[in-house]
Amino acid sequence: MFPNAKGSELLSVLATIDPAAQAAGTASTGWISVANHHGFVSLVQTGVLGTSATVDAKLQQALDSSGTSAKDITGKAITQIVKATGDNKQALINVKPEELDTVNGFGFVRLSVTVGVAASQTAAQVLGLNPRFAPADASNQAAVVQVI
């Protein structure tokens, strides 16, 4: 589509759940406006999972950046990752703004990653794709310290 553009000009790192030994429970990104990108992809990563651990991830939508009226986005949850087959795996969740309940004013998304049973190595990112106003890397979160 844009053969002369750098990859970093077409995507933004909008939110992360930084790599960590996540205790059993849920970690979520902050709420992200869908107004500035044509699409989004969430990357969920596992390292070594704890004994009998499970990992679930889903996208949620809200009316504002405070999470007002938060609810799940239909069809935007991964199939549960389990210890037996889930060490060092990745899962992607795609979403476009038009898949949100925009009729009722929902315009913000977040990613939630839930670890069940035992602490496990996880990380996740939400990337904004195809910015409405280029370059996309101008929308990177503050934790992005280098773009080469």
Side-chain angles (χ1 to χ4, degrees):
M1 184 171 185
F2 300 104
N4 294 323
K6 298 175 187 169
S8 62
E9 294 173 337
L10 301 175
L11 66 87
S12 305
V13 179
L14 299 174
T16 57
I17 298 172
D18 294 326
Q22 182 180 334
T26 300
S28 299
T29 66
W31 291 100
I32 304 158
S33 171
V34 299
N36 295 324
H37 294 83
H38 292 283
F40 300 84
V41 65
S42 295
L43 170 61
V44 178
Q45 300 166 286
T46 65
V48 175
L49 302 182
T51 303
S52 300
T54 60
V55 176
D56 293 283
K58 64 183 177 182
L59 288 175
Q60 297 178 299
Q61 59 187 325
L63 294 171
D64 57 34
S65 62
S66 298
T68 302
S69 299
K71 62 182 181 178
D72 295 349
I73 303 173
T74 303
K76 301 302 176 182
I78 66 169
T79 299
Q80 187 174 72
I81 298 172
V82 298
K83 171 61 178 172
T85 57
D87 286 355
N88 304 310
K89 302 296 185 202
Q90 301 82 40
L92 298 170
I93 308 171
N94 287 287
V95 69
K96 292 185 176 189
E98 57 267 24
E99 294 177 291
L100 275 60
D101 183 6
T102 54
V103 170
N104 290 309
F106 286 79
F108 290 79
V109 297
R110 79 171 176 185
L111 175 66
S112 291
V113 176
T114 301
V115 171
V117 183
S120 298
Q121 296 288 328
T122 64
Q125 300 82 38
V126 179
L127 306 173
L129 307 173
N130 298 317
R132 295 186 190 279
F133 309 100
D137 56 7
S139 298
N140 284 339
Q141 68 175 8
V144 176
V145 296
Q146 294 185 37
V147 176
I148 309 298

